[in-house]
Amino acid sequence: MFQMNGVFIPVTDIELSKKWYETILGLIKVDEWKNGSDHGVGYIFSRGNTGLALIEVEEPQSTSFTRKGSHPNVYFNFSTDDIEGDYQRLLDKNVMTTPIQHSEEVSMFDFKDPDGNSFSVVQEASQSPYHENHIKELQRQHSKY
């Protein structure tokens, strides 16, 4: 029925953010628009089909929420097949990150953009219900609907 099409990130300095997202995350620019005070830039990743758009805002806005017990949680995460390598690449580019946390099903870390927007990076283990192969099988089973 549906699939995720795009994610929107609030940024206060769109020129700085464009450079950061293109250089640090390697995003590919698809479109840029400016209508009066509305300014945004649309991107795609080098793989997958979910887009990401930077939307210029006047004041920083949260990209996370608080779970019970005061634990912060991001609204979405990025997936990778090389968490150690991507972690090191971000460190090499002086991006603020948390240490990698490992469990049986997932390895993950967080990082922040220049506005302080928080993001998680995850690598699902093969036994995780969210691993790419498991997801594809579930989609195949439900494609008849």
Side-chain angles (χ1 to χ4, degrees):
M1 187 170 170
F2 297 118
Q3 74 174 19
M4 180 66 71
N5 186 45
V7 175
F8 302 90
I9 309 296
V11 298
T12 56
D13 182 338
I14 200 141
E15 295 304 322
L16 171 70
S17 294
K18 282 170 35 179
K19 289 177 188 165
W20 192 88
Y21 279 80
E22 291 169 14
T23 302
I24 303 298
L25 299 186
L27 297 182
I28 302 162
K29 185 175 164 182
V30 174
D31 187 25
E32 184 165 358
W33 61 90
K34 185 164 179 127
N35 301 319
S37 63
D38 184 32
H39 191 180
V41 183
Y43 291 99
I44 58 169
F45 294 87
S46 60
R47 64 184 194 139
N49 58 0
T50 302
L52 184 146
L54 305 177
I55 306 295
E56 192 166 45
V57 296
E58 292 181 2
E59 297 177 20
Q61 298 178 29
S62 181
T63 55
S64 63
F65 60 93
T66 304
R67 298 185 302 181
K68 291 181 179 178
S70 312
H71 299 290
N73 203 100
V74 296
Y75 282 100
F76 63 91
N77 55 36
F78 299 110
S79 65
T80 182
D81 294 329
D82 182 14
I83 198 156
E84 298 286 342
D86 289 337
Y87 180 78
Q88 189 60 52
R89 280 185 276 288
L90 290 176
L91 288 179
D92 291 346
K93 294 178 179 180
N94 298 313
V95 175
M96 182 173 39
T97 66
T98 61
I100 298 176
Q101 299 175 357
H102 300 280
S103 74
E104 287 184 26
E105 292 187 345
V106 67
S107 295
M108 61 186 293
F109 68 90
D110 295 338
F111 70 95
K112 293 187 179 200
D113 77 357
D115 275 288
N117 292 317
S118 294
F119 305 106
S120 289
V121 176
V122 299
Q123 182 172 356
E124 301 290 343
S126 60
Q127 67 271 21
S128 166
Y130 296 100
H131 187 273
E132 175 179 38
N133 294 339
H134 187 248
I135 297 295
K136 286 179 181 177
E137 177 59 22
L138 284 172
Q139 289 170 330
R140 187 194 63 73
Q141 291 172 8
H142 292 273
S143 66
K144 58 187 170 208
Y145 302 109

